[in-house]
Amino acid sequence: MKTTALPFSHLAQRAGRPFAALVTAAAMSFTAVAAHAATEMPPIPEVQGDVVEGDGNDYNLKFNIGLTQSSAQYRGLEYFKKIVEERGDGHITVEAFHSAQLGDDLQSVSALQAGTLEMTAPSTSPMVSMFPQFAVFDLPFLFPQPEDADRVLDGEIGQQMLEEASSKGLVAIGWAENGYRQLTDSGVAVSEPSDLEGLKIRTMQNPIHLDIWRTLGANPTPMSFAELFTALEQNVVDGQENPWNTIKSSRFNEVQQYATETNHVYTPFITLVSERFWNRLPESYQQLLREAATDMGEYEREVSRSMSDQIKQDLADSGMEITTLTPEQVAVFQETLEPVYAQWRDKIGGDLIDSIRDEASAEQQ
Ligand code: KDG
């Protein structure tokens, strides 16, 4: 099916609302969520669920992530550990590692395939060379509101993607939230694409992200997350883009003066297990890990969303100049990036893009 309508107007049409109203609704929903933001991380929940009997053998799993110990991602990992060890019958333990201690995203995925690491939870973006369908999540402004991403990831499309990613030595058992990405830089206060001219922006190792920042007029540089803070500190790059929780937990405000709330891409985390380890587990423990991954993802979303307003305030208090775009300014970024949809539609698959847009814009039942 050839879509002739403009991507974002198309989204508005499907949502049955005028284009500007859709953008305003998205902005208001962020404000609404932010207005009720907690001032600190929500407490780690009590563990619910029956005790799970294993096969009498002992299993220890190392779970490595790229973000720091103060990130929402690590808080989710602490909850995952609590669930597995409290619901397991004492024969399964979790060792939690942060800040890429055991390798960055791509190194961790390779270690799972080799069987030298048991679990990790990377962004989908650096994995598109292994799973091209993940590139759909890198399309700009795909999800107008967080609930739209939840509906897709928790529904048939998300389940299908987990099944497809359960290959190549990996077992994909759940989704979690990295979140909506925001721009930071050390050069200028950015409020329109022309402000980006000549700025060196670090991107994830992902071709769509490179296209996004080239199209906006910047000079993009792909780099692993583990190298990013040093690259910013040494002015190897001028800026980067990540969710608020990452900007704060990775202390980017110490090496970046400006931030712009662009919400230009929503990035999920995908929770992965080494297939070699998985196949050694009794089925009862496999089911326990699946349930713990689902609970971790839901909790991580809550932590990520409930803290964004407080984090923005903390960053401003630390001296960062934060630019909040008007709906009209957001529309300029969206319209400038429309060619990225056209460039990538055939490579990603028009049917997948349309099914995600339909699911994302469907009213909550
Ligand atoms: O553990 C996840 C991080 O390593 C990374 O994926 C975070 O969004 C990210 C980035 O910019 O690399």
Side-chain angles (χ1 to χ4, degrees), residues 193-194 196-222 241 264 336-337 339-340 343-344 347:
S194 62
L196 288 160
E197 188 176 349
L199 281 185
K200 292 176 288 185
I201 302 296
R202 174 269 177 180
T203 71
M204 290 188 282
Q205 297 137 308
N206 174 291
I208 296 186
H209 282 255
L210 288 169
D211 278 350
I212 285 172
W213 294 98
R214 281 193 198 104
T215 303
L216 289 172
N219 177 11
T221 303
E241 42 83 59
H264 55 277
T336 305
L337 290 174
V340 173
Q343 286 163 10
W344 284 91
K347 292 173 196 165

PDB file of all heavy atoms in Angstrom, residues 193-194 196-222 241 264 336-337 339-340 343-344 347:
ATOM      1  N   PRO A 193      16.379  23.270  13.324  1.00  0.00           N
ATOM      2  CA  PRO A 193      17.460  22.510  12.673  1.00  0.00           C
ATOM      3  C   PRO A 193      18.650  23.361  12.254  1.00  0.00           C
ATOM      4  O   PRO A 193      19.796  22.914  12.363  1.00  0.00           O
ATOM      5  CB  PRO A 193      16.739  21.899  11.469  1.00  0.00           C
ATOM      6  CG  PRO A 193      15.330  21.703  11.949  1.00  0.00           C
ATOM      7  CD  PRO A 193      15.043  22.881  12.828  1.00  0.00           C
ATOM      8  N   SER A 194      18.415  24.586  11.838  1.00  0.00           N
ATOM      9  CA  SER A 194      19.550  25.394  11.350  1.00  0.00           C
ATOM     10  C   SER A 194      20.582  25.656  12.440  1.00  0.00           C
ATOM     11  O   SER A 194      21.760  25.883  12.174  1.00  0.00           O
ATOM     12  CB  SER A 194      19.042  26.725  10.795  1.00  0.00           C
ATOM     13  OG  SER A 194      18.396  27.472  11.838  1.00  0.00           O
ATOM     14  N   LEU A 196      21.811  23.470  14.235  1.00  0.00           N
ATOM     15  CA  LEU A 196      22.665  22.275  14.337  1.00  0.00           C
ATOM     16  C   LEU A 196      23.801  22.288  13.317  1.00  0.00           C
ATOM     17  O   LEU A 196      24.693  21.440  13.378  1.00  0.00           O
ATOM     18  CB  LEU A 196      21.817  21.015  14.113  1.00  0.00           C
ATOM     19  CG  LEU A 196      20.865  20.638  15.238  1.00  0.00           C
ATOM     20  CD1 LEU A 196      19.772  19.712  14.729  1.00  0.00           C
ATOM     21  CD2 LEU A 196      21.645  19.978  16.372  1.00  0.00           C
ATOM     22  N   GLU A 197      23.799  23.241  12.415  1.00  0.00           N
ATOM     23  CA  GLU A 197      24.769  23.228  11.313  1.00  0.00           C
ATOM     24  C   GLU A 197      26.207  23.086  11.829  1.00  0.00           C
ATOM     25  O   GLU A 197      26.655  23.873  12.675  1.00  0.00           O
ATOM     26  CB  GLU A 197      24.645  24.496  10.462  1.00  0.00           C
ATOM     27  CG  GLU A 197      25.499  24.445   9.195  1.00  0.00           C
ATOM     28  CD  GLU A 197      25.281  25.676   8.314  1.00  0.00           C
ATOM     29  OE1 GLU A 197      24.329  26.443   8.586  1.00  0.00           O
ATOM     30  OE2 GLU A 197      26.076  25.849   7.365  1.00  0.00           O
ATOM     31  N   GLY A 198      26.879  22.022  11.360  1.00  0.00           N
ATOM     32  CA  GLY A 198      28.298  21.829  11.704  1.00  0.00           C
ATOM     33  C   GLY A 198      28.535  21.196  13.059  1.00  0.00           C
ATOM     34  O   GLY A 198      29.668  20.843  13.391  1.00  0.00           O
ATOM     35  N   LEU A 199      27.473  21.010  13.875  1.00  0.00           N
ATOM     36  CA  LEU A 199      27.699  20.401  15.201  1.00  0.00           C
ATOM     37  C   LEU A 199      28.002  18.906  15.041  1.00  0.00           C
ATOM     38  O   LEU A 199      27.310  18.204  14.310  1.00  0.00           O
ATOM     39  CB  LEU A 199      26.462  20.567  16.093  1.00  0.00           C
ATOM     40  CG  LEU A 199      26.237  21.923  16.775  1.00  0.00           C
ATOM     41  CD1 LEU A 199      25.019  21.844  17.710  1.00  0.00           C
ATOM     42  CD2 LEU A 199      27.476  22.367  17.566  1.00  0.00           C
ATOM     43  N   LYS A 200      29.049  18.425  15.726  1.00  0.00           N
ATOM     44  CA  LYS A 200      29.375  16.986  15.718  1.00  0.00           C
ATOM     45  C   LYS A 200      28.527  16.308  16.799  1.00  0.00           C
ATOM     46  O   LYS A 200      28.719  16.554  17.993  1.00  0.00           O
ATOM     47  CB  LYS A 200      30.878  16.784  16.008  1.00  0.00           C
ATOM     48  CG  LYS A 200      31.802  17.275  14.912  1.00  0.00           C
ATOM     49  CD  LYS A 200      33.259  17.141  15.315  1.00  0.00           C
ATOM     50  CE  LYS A 200      33.598  18.194  16.392  1.00  0.00           C
ATOM     51  NZ  LYS A 200      35.041  18.187  16.731  1.00  0.00           N
ATOM     52  N   ILE A 201      27.579  15.488  16.359  1.00  0.00           N
ATOM     53  CA  ILE A 201      26.650  14.825  17.272  1.00  0.00           C
ATOM     54  C   ILE A 201      26.936  13.329  17.303  1.00  0.00           C
ATOM     55  O   ILE A 201      26.950  12.673  16.250  1.00  0.00           O
ATOM     56  CB  ILE A 201      25.178  15.051  16.850  1.00  0.00           C
ATOM     57  CG1 ILE A 201      24.849  16.551  16.789  1.00  0.00           C
ATOM     58  CG2 ILE A 201      24.227  14.320  17.803  1.00  0.00           C
ATOM     59  CD1 ILE A 201      24.942  17.269  18.125  1.00  0.00           C
ATOM     60  N   ARG A 202      27.206  12.780  18.489  1.00  0.00           N
ATOM     61  CA  ARG A 202      27.379  11.327  18.618  1.00  0.00           C
ATOM     62  C   ARG A 202      26.031  10.669  18.469  1.00  0.00           C
ATOM     63  O   ARG A 202      25.060  11.112  19.057  1.00  0.00           O
ATOM     64  CB  ARG A 202      27.990  10.949  19.974  1.00  0.00           C
ATOM     65  CG  ARG A 202      28.053   9.436  20.229  1.00  0.00           C
ATOM     66  CD  ARG A 202      26.825   8.907  20.917  1.00  0.00           C
ATOM     67  NE  ARG A 202      26.834   7.467  21.103  1.00  0.00           N
ATOM     68  CZ  ARG A 202      25.860   6.789  21.692  1.00  0.00           C
ATOM     69  NH1 ARG A 202      24.781   7.422  22.113  1.00  0.00           N
ATOM     70  NH2 ARG A 202      25.943   5.468  21.826  1.00  0.00           N
ATOM     71  N   THR A 203      26.020   9.582  17.693  1.00  0.00           N
ATOM     72  CA  THR A 203      24.798   8.784  17.581  1.00  0.00           C
ATOM     73  C   THR A 203      25.121   7.346  17.967  1.00  0.00           C
ATOM     74  O   THR A 203      26.289   6.942  18.010  1.00  0.00           O
ATOM     75  CB  THR A 203      24.248   8.770  16.131  1.00  0.00           C
ATOM     76  OG1 THR A 203      25.124   7.973  15.312  1.00  0.00           O
ATOM     77  CG2 THR A 203      24.114  10.179  15.589  1.00  0.00           C
ATOM     78  N   MET A 204      24.076   6.568  18.238  1.00  0.00           N
ATOM     79  CA  MET A 204      24.276   5.134  18.381  1.00  0.00           C
ATOM     80  C   MET A 204      24.748   4.573  17.031  1.00  0.00           C
ATOM     81  O   MET A 204      24.637   5.248  16.001  1.00  0.00           O
ATOM     82  CB  MET A 204      22.958   4.469  18.801  1.00  0.00           C
ATOM     83  CG  MET A 204      22.539   4.799  20.225  1.00  0.00           C
ATOM     84  SD  MET A 204      21.107   3.835  20.777  1.00  0.00           S
ATOM     85  CE  MET A 204      19.795   4.746  19.949  1.00  0.00           C
ATOM     86  N   GLN A 205      25.276   3.350  17.091  1.00  0.00           N
ATOM     87  CA  GLN A 205      25.794   2.723  15.854  1.00  0.00           C
ATOM     88  C   GLN A 205      24.600   2.195  15.055  1.00  0.00           C
ATOM     89  O   GLN A 205      24.244   1.021  15.136  1.00  0.00           O
ATOM     90  CB  GLN A 205      26.769   1.600  16.238  1.00  0.00           C
ATOM     91  CG  GLN A 205      27.997   2.119  16.981  1.00  0.00           C
ATOM     92  CD  GLN A 205      28.402   1.260  18.177  1.00  0.00           C
ATOM     93  OE1 GLN A 205      27.552   0.979  19.038  1.00  0.00           O
ATOM     94  NE2 GLN A 205      29.646   0.865  18.236  1.00  0.00           N
ATOM     95  N   ASN A 206      23.967   3.116  14.329  1.00  0.00           N
ATOM     96  CA  ASN A 206      22.691   2.809  13.669  1.00  0.00           C
ATOM     97  C   ASN A 206      22.509   3.739  12.484  1.00  0.00           C
ATOM     98  O   ASN A 206      22.606   4.973  12.632  1.00  0.00           O
ATOM     99  CB  ASN A 206      21.566   3.004  14.692  1.00  0.00           C
ATOM    100  CG  ASN A 206      20.188   2.855  14.090  1.00  0.00           C
ATOM    101  OD1 ASN A 206      19.759   3.705  13.299  1.00  0.00           O
ATOM    102  ND2 ASN A 206      19.518   1.767  14.419  1.00  0.00           N
ATOM    103  N   PRO A 207      22.261   3.193  11.280  1.00  0.00           N
ATOM    104  CA  PRO A 207      22.219   4.029  10.065  1.00  0.00           C
ATOM    105  C   PRO A 207      21.082   5.044  10.019  1.00  0.00           C
ATOM    106  O   PRO A 207      21.242   6.124   9.436  1.00  0.00           O
ATOM    107  CB  PRO A 207      22.070   2.994   8.941  1.00  0.00           C
ATOM    108  CG  PRO A 207      21.510   1.775   9.584  1.00  0.00           C
ATOM    109  CD  PRO A 207      22.041   1.761  10.989  1.00  0.00           C
ATOM    110  N   ILE A 208      19.938   4.739  10.649  1.00  0.00           N
ATOM    111  CA  ILE A 208      18.840   5.719  10.622  1.00  0.00           C
ATOM    112  C   ILE A 208      19.197   6.925  11.478  1.00  0.00           C
ATOM    113  O   ILE A 208      18.958   8.073  11.095  1.00  0.00           O
ATOM    114  CB  ILE A 208      17.508   5.101  11.108  1.00  0.00           C
ATOM    115  CG1 ILE A 208      17.057   3.998  10.157  1.00  0.00           C
ATOM    116  CG2 ILE A 208      16.427   6.178  11.210  1.00  0.00           C
ATOM    117  CD1 ILE A 208      15.698   3.424  10.469  1.00  0.00           C
ATOM    118  N   HIS A 209      19.833   6.670  12.644  1.00  0.00           N
ATOM    119  CA  HIS A 209      20.232   7.805  13.483  1.00  0.00           C
ATOM    120  C   HIS A 209      21.226   8.680  12.742  1.00  0.00           C
ATOM    121  O   HIS A 209      21.176   9.916  12.812  1.00  0.00           O
ATOM    122  CB  HIS A 209      20.810   7.299  14.807  1.00  0.00           C
ATOM    123  CG  HIS A 209      19.738   6.865  15.762  1.00  0.00           C
ATOM    124  ND1 HIS A 209      19.371   7.604  16.858  1.00  0.00           N
ATOM    125  CD2 HIS A 209      18.929   5.785  15.761  1.00  0.00           C
ATOM    126  CE1 HIS A 209      18.381   6.997  17.498  1.00  0.00           C
ATOM    127  NE2 HIS A 209      18.101   5.885  16.848  1.00  0.00           N
ATOM    128  N   LEU A 210      22.123   8.068  11.971  1.00  0.00           N
ATOM    129  CA  LEU A 210      23.062   8.874  11.167  1.00  0.00           C
ATOM    130  C   LEU A 210      22.280   9.722  10.164  1.00  0.00           C
ATOM    131  O   LEU A 210      22.530  10.920  10.004  1.00  0.00           O
ATOM    132  CB  LEU A 210      24.051   7.951  10.449  1.00  0.00           C
ATOM    133  CG  LEU A 210      25.103   7.272  11.332  1.00  0.00           C
ATOM    134  CD1 LEU A 210      25.846   6.195  10.556  1.00  0.00           C
ATOM    135  CD2 LEU A 210      26.088   8.302  11.884  1.00  0.00           C
ATOM    136  N   ASP A 211      21.273   9.100   9.493  1.00  0.00           N
ATOM    137  CA  ASP A 211      20.472   9.845   8.513  1.00  0.00           C
ATOM    138  C   ASP A 211      19.697  10.980   9.167  1.00  0.00           C
ATOM    139  O   ASP A 211      19.558  12.073   8.602  1.00  0.00           O
ATOM    140  CB  ASP A 211      19.497   8.892   7.805  1.00  0.00           C
ATOM    141  CG  ASP A 211      20.166   8.134   6.660  1.00  0.00           C
ATOM    142  OD1 ASP A 211      21.324   8.503   6.323  1.00  0.00           O
ATOM    143  OD2 ASP A 211      19.558   7.203   6.133  1.00  0.00           O
ATOM    144  N   ILE A 212      19.154  10.721  10.372  1.00  0.00           N
ATOM    145  CA  ILE A 212      18.375  11.756  11.066  1.00  0.00           C
ATOM    146  C   ILE A 212      19.220  13.010  11.259  1.00  0.00           C
ATOM    147  O   ILE A 212      18.826  14.121  10.893  1.00  0.00           O
ATOM    148  CB  ILE A 212      17.872  11.234  12.428  1.00  0.00           C
ATOM    149  CG1 ILE A 212      16.702  10.263  12.222  1.00  0.00           C
ATOM    150  CG2 ILE A 212      17.455  12.387  13.353  1.00  0.00           C
ATOM    151  CD1 ILE A 212      16.250   9.552  13.481  1.00  0.00           C
ATOM    152  N   TRP A 213      20.425  12.848  11.779  1.00  0.00           N
ATOM    153  CA  TRP A 213      21.221  14.032  12.146  1.00  0.00           C
ATOM    154  C   TRP A 213      21.883  14.669  10.931  1.00  0.00           C
ATOM    155  O   TRP A 213      22.079  15.894  10.895  1.00  0.00           O
ATOM    156  CB  TRP A 213      22.213  13.686  13.254  1.00  0.00           C
ATOM    157  CG  TRP A 213      21.425  13.362  14.489  1.00  0.00           C
ATOM    158  CD1 TRP A 213      21.071  12.130  14.961  1.00  0.00           C
ATOM    159  CD2 TRP A 213      20.785  14.304  15.362  1.00  0.00           C
ATOM    160  NE1 TRP A 213      20.252  12.242  16.056  1.00  0.00           N
ATOM    161  CE2 TRP A 213      20.067  13.564  16.338  1.00  0.00           C
ATOM    162  CE3 TRP A 213      20.750  15.699  15.416  1.00  0.00           C
ATOM    163  CZ2 TRP A 213      19.334  14.186  17.337  1.00  0.00           C
ATOM    164  CZ3 TRP A 213      20.016  16.322  16.422  1.00  0.00           C
ATOM    165  CH2 TRP A 213      19.330  15.561  17.374  1.00  0.00           C
ATOM    166  N   ARG A 214      22.159  13.864   9.885  1.00  0.00           N
ATOM    167  CA  ARG A 214      22.610  14.468   8.618  1.00  0.00           C
ATOM    168  C   ARG A 214      21.482  15.310   8.028  1.00  0.00           C
ATOM    169  O   ARG A 214      21.675  16.440   7.596  1.00  0.00           O
ATOM    170  CB  ARG A 214      22.975  13.369   7.611  1.00  0.00           C
ATOM    171  CG  ARG A 214      24.320  12.736   7.815  1.00  0.00           C
ATOM    172  CD  ARG A 214      24.733  11.902   6.597  1.00  0.00           C
ATOM    173  NE  ARG A 214      25.805  10.971   6.943  1.00  0.00           N
ATOM    174  CZ  ARG A 214      25.637   9.665   7.128  1.00  0.00           C
ATOM    175  NH1 ARG A 214      24.430   9.126   6.956  1.00  0.00           N
ATOM    176  NH2 ARG A 214      26.638   8.880   7.476  1.00  0.00           N
ATOM    177  N   THR A 215      20.258  14.755   8.045  1.00  0.00           N
ATOM    178  CA  THR A 215      19.117  15.481   7.466  1.00  0.00           C
ATOM    179  C   THR A 215      18.844  16.792   8.215  1.00  0.00           C
ATOM    180  O   THR A 215      18.441  17.788   7.620  1.00  0.00           O
ATOM    181  CB  THR A 215      17.852  14.587   7.510  1.00  0.00           C
ATOM    182  OG1 THR A 215      18.122  13.354   6.812  1.00  0.00           O
ATOM    183  CG2 THR A 215      16.652  15.276   6.890  1.00  0.00           C
ATOM    184  N   LEU A 216      19.131  16.782   9.515  1.00  0.00           N
ATOM    185  CA  LEU A 216      18.918  17.998  10.314  1.00  0.00           C
ATOM    186  C   LEU A 216      20.057  19.004  10.141  1.00  0.00           C
ATOM    187  O   LEU A 216      20.000  20.118  10.665  1.00  0.00           O
ATOM    188  CB  LEU A 216      18.763  17.634  11.794  1.00  0.00           C
ATOM    189  CG  LEU A 216      17.454  16.910  12.163  1.00  0.00           C
ATOM    190  CD1 LEU A 216      17.499  16.435  13.621  1.00  0.00           C
ATOM    191  CD2 LEU A 216      16.247  17.825  11.937  1.00  0.00           C
ATOM    192  N   GLY A 217      21.137  18.587   9.450  1.00  0.00           N
ATOM    193  CA  GLY A 217      22.227  19.526   9.171  1.00  0.00           C
ATOM    194  C   GLY A 217      23.425  19.389  10.084  1.00  0.00           C
ATOM    195  O   GLY A 217      24.384  20.165  10.005  1.00  0.00           O
ATOM    196  N   ALA A 218      23.411  18.388  10.984  1.00  0.00           N
ATOM    197  CA  ALA A 218      24.544  18.177  11.896  1.00  0.00           C
ATOM    198  C   ALA A 218      25.560  17.259  11.226  1.00  0.00           C
ATOM    199  O   ALA A 218      25.373  16.790  10.101  1.00  0.00           O
ATOM    200  CB  ALA A 218      24.037  17.555  13.210  1.00  0.00           C
ATOM    201  N   ASN A 219      26.645  16.987  11.982  1.00  0.00           N
ATOM    202  CA  ASN A 219      27.711  16.100  11.499  1.00  0.00           C
ATOM    203  C   ASN A 219      27.762  14.898  12.446  1.00  0.00           C
ATOM    204  O   ASN A 219      28.428  14.953  13.481  1.00  0.00           O
ATOM    205  CB  ASN A 219      29.034  16.879  11.513  1.00  0.00           C
ATOM    206  CG  ASN A 219      30.211  16.005  11.106  1.00  0.00           C
ATOM    207  OD1 ASN A 219      30.013  14.881  10.616  1.00  0.00           O
ATOM    208  ND2 ASN A 219      31.415  16.503  11.318  1.00  0.00           N
ATOM    209  N   PRO A 220      27.019  13.804  12.158  1.00  0.00           N
ATOM    210  CA  PRO A 220      26.876  12.693  13.113  1.00  0.00           C
ATOM    211  C   PRO A 220      28.104  11.771  13.150  1.00  0.00           C
ATOM    212  O   PRO A 220      28.745  11.558  12.140  1.00  0.00           O
ATOM    213  CB  PRO A 220      25.661  11.947  12.601  1.00  0.00           C
ATOM    214  CG  PRO A 220      25.637  12.222  11.137  1.00  0.00           C
ATOM    215  CD  PRO A 220      26.221  13.572  10.937  1.00  0.00           C
ATOM    216  N   THR A 221      28.412  11.245  14.362  1.00  0.00           N
ATOM    217  CA  THR A 221      29.514  10.300  14.568  1.00  0.00           C
ATOM    218  C   THR A 221      29.001   9.109  15.361  1.00  0.00           C
ATOM    219  O   THR A 221      28.627   9.266  16.524  1.00  0.00           O
ATOM    220  CB  THR A 221      30.657  10.974  15.370  1.00  0.00           C
ATOM    221  OG1 THR A 221      31.089  12.143  14.673  1.00  0.00           O
ATOM    222  CG2 THR A 221      31.818  10.014  15.573  1.00  0.00           C
ATOM    223  N   PRO A 222      28.976   7.872  14.791  1.00  0.00           N
ATOM    224  CA  PRO A 222      28.512   6.710  15.561  1.00  0.00           C
ATOM    225  C   PRO A 222      29.565   6.288  16.578  1.00  0.00           C
ATOM    226  O   PRO A 222      30.760   6.359  16.310  1.00  0.00           O
ATOM    227  CB  PRO A 222      28.320   5.635  14.482  1.00  0.00           C
ATOM    228  CG  PRO A 222      29.258   6.019  13.383  1.00  0.00           C
ATOM    229  CD  PRO A 222      29.355   7.518  13.414  1.00  0.00           C
ATOM    230  N   GLU A 241      22.524  12.469  22.019  1.00  0.00           N
ATOM    231  CA  GLU A 241      21.085  12.474  22.279  1.00  0.00           C
ATOM    232  C   GLU A 241      20.718  11.195  23.027  1.00  0.00           C
ATOM    233  O   GLU A 241      21.126  10.099  22.639  1.00  0.00           O
ATOM    234  CB  GLU A 241      20.297  12.610  20.979  1.00  0.00           C
ATOM    235  CG  GLU A 241      20.802  11.802  19.792  1.00  0.00           C
ATOM    236  CD  GLU A 241      20.291  10.371  19.831  1.00  0.00           C
ATOM    237  OE1 GLU A 241      19.073  10.182  19.824  1.00  0.00           O
ATOM    238  OE2 GLU A 241      21.126   9.458  19.862  1.00  0.00           O
ATOM    239  N   HIS A 264      12.655  13.095  19.912  1.00  0.00           N
ATOM    240  CA  HIS A 264      12.688  12.767  18.482  1.00  0.00           C
ATOM    241  C   HIS A 264      12.598  11.276  18.168  1.00  0.00           C
ATOM    242  O   HIS A 264      12.180  10.894  17.080  1.00  0.00           O
ATOM    243  CB  HIS A 264      13.942  13.363  17.817  1.00  0.00           C
ATOM    244  CG  HIS A 264      15.225  12.971  18.471  1.00  0.00           C
ATOM    245  ND1 HIS A 264      15.714  13.624  19.585  1.00  0.00           N
ATOM    246  CD2 HIS A 264      16.109  11.992  18.182  1.00  0.00           C
ATOM    247  CE1 HIS A 264      16.872  13.057  19.946  1.00  0.00           C
ATOM    248  NE2 HIS A 264      17.123  12.072  19.121  1.00  0.00           N
ATOM    249  N   THR A 336      11.061  18.405   8.694  1.00  0.00           N
ATOM    250  CA  THR A 336      12.426  18.285   8.131  1.00  0.00           C
ATOM    251  C   THR A 336      12.833  16.817   8.016  1.00  0.00           C
ATOM    252  O   THR A 336      13.555  16.434   7.107  1.00  0.00           O
ATOM    253  CB  THR A 336      13.424  19.049   9.033  1.00  0.00           C
ATOM    254  OG1 THR A 336      12.992  20.400   9.181  1.00  0.00           O
ATOM    255  CG2 THR A 336      14.836  19.014   8.452  1.00  0.00           C
ATOM    256  N   LEU A 337      12.307  15.980   8.925  1.00  0.00           N
ATOM    257  CA  LEU A 337      12.713  14.564   8.966  1.00  0.00           C
ATOM    258  C   LEU A 337      11.791  13.643   8.171  1.00  0.00           C
ATOM    259  O   LEU A 337      12.021  12.430   8.110  1.00  0.00           O
ATOM    260  CB  LEU A 337      12.805  14.087  10.427  1.00  0.00           C
ATOM    261  CG  LEU A 337      13.967  14.691  11.205  1.00  0.00           C
ATOM    262  CD1 LEU A 337      13.907  14.280  12.670  1.00  0.00           C
ATOM    263  CD2 LEU A 337      15.302  14.260  10.595  1.00  0.00           C
ATOM    264  N   PRO A 339      11.651  13.052   5.011  1.00  0.00           N
ATOM    265  CA  PRO A 339      12.365  12.235   4.008  1.00  0.00           C
ATOM    266  C   PRO A 339      12.967  10.954   4.578  1.00  0.00           C
ATOM    267  O   PRO A 339      13.140   9.967   3.856  1.00  0.00           O
ATOM    268  CB  PRO A 339      13.465  13.176   3.494  1.00  0.00           C
ATOM    269  CG  PRO A 339      12.953  14.549   3.761  1.00  0.00           C
ATOM    270  CD  PRO A 339      12.176  14.448   5.037  1.00  0.00           C
ATOM    271  N   VAL A 340      13.246  10.921   5.894  1.00  0.00           N
ATOM    272  CA  VAL A 340      13.835   9.717   6.490  1.00  0.00           C
ATOM    273  C   VAL A 340      12.859   8.553   6.382  1.00  0.00           C
ATOM    274  O   VAL A 340      13.251   7.408   6.113  1.00  0.00           O
ATOM    275  CB  VAL A 340      14.224   9.968   7.966  1.00  0.00           C
ATOM    276  CG1 VAL A 340      14.685   8.680   8.641  1.00  0.00           C
ATOM    277  CG2 VAL A 340      15.295  11.048   8.058  1.00  0.00           C
ATOM    278  N   GLN A 343      13.075   7.391   2.804  1.00  0.00           N
ATOM    279  CA  GLN A 343      14.351   6.700   2.540  1.00  0.00           C
ATOM    280  C   GLN A 343      14.325   5.266   3.073  1.00  0.00           C
ATOM    281  O   GLN A 343      14.889   4.356   2.491  1.00  0.00           O
ATOM    282  CB  GLN A 343      15.507   7.438   3.245  1.00  0.00           C
ATOM    283  CG  GLN A 343      15.942   8.756   2.591  1.00  0.00           C
ATOM    284  CD  GLN A 343      16.775   9.607   3.556  1.00  0.00           C
ATOM    285  OE1 GLN A 343      17.178   9.155   4.630  1.00  0.00           O
ATOM    286  NE2 GLN A 343      16.995  10.856   3.198  1.00  0.00           N
ATOM    287  N   TRP A 344      13.653   5.057   4.200  1.00  0.00           N
ATOM    288  CA  TRP A 344      13.766   3.773   4.893  1.00  0.00           C
ATOM    289  C   TRP A 344      12.535   2.891   4.765  1.00  0.00           C
ATOM    290  O   TRP A 344      12.538   1.746   5.218  1.00  0.00           O
ATOM    291  CB  TRP A 344      14.091   4.021   6.375  1.00  0.00           C
ATOM    292  CG  TRP A 344      15.530   4.395   6.542  1.00  0.00           C
ATOM    293  CD1 TRP A 344      16.069   5.644   6.538  1.00  0.00           C
ATOM    294  CD2 TRP A 344      16.619   3.484   6.674  1.00  0.00           C
ATOM    295  NE1 TRP A 344      17.429   5.587   6.678  1.00  0.00           N
ATOM    296  CE2 TRP A 344      17.791   4.258   6.771  1.00  0.00           C
ATOM    297  CE3 TRP A 344      16.737   2.094   6.720  1.00  0.00           C
ATOM    298  CZ2 TRP A 344      19.059   3.682   6.918  1.00  0.00           C
ATOM    299  CZ3 TRP A 344      17.986   1.519   6.873  1.00  0.00           C
ATOM    300  CH2 TRP A 344      19.135   2.313   6.968  1.00  0.00           C
ATOM    301  N   LYS A 347      13.245  -0.415   2.990  1.00  0.00           N
ATOM    302  CA  LYS A 347      14.244  -1.254   3.682  1.00  0.00           C
ATOM    303  C   LYS A 347      13.637  -1.885   4.940  1.00  0.00           C
ATOM    304  O   LYS A 347      13.900  -3.038   5.262  1.00  0.00           O
ATOM    305  CB  LYS A 347      15.461  -0.405   4.068  1.00  0.00           C
ATOM    306  CG  LYS A 347      16.282   0.091   2.890  1.00  0.00           C
ATOM    307  CD  LYS A 347      17.368   1.058   3.365  1.00  0.00           C
ATOM    308  CE  LYS A 347      17.954   1.864   2.206  1.00  0.00           C
ATOM    309  NZ  LYS A 347      18.730   3.044   2.705  1.00  0.00           N
TER     310      LYS A 347
END
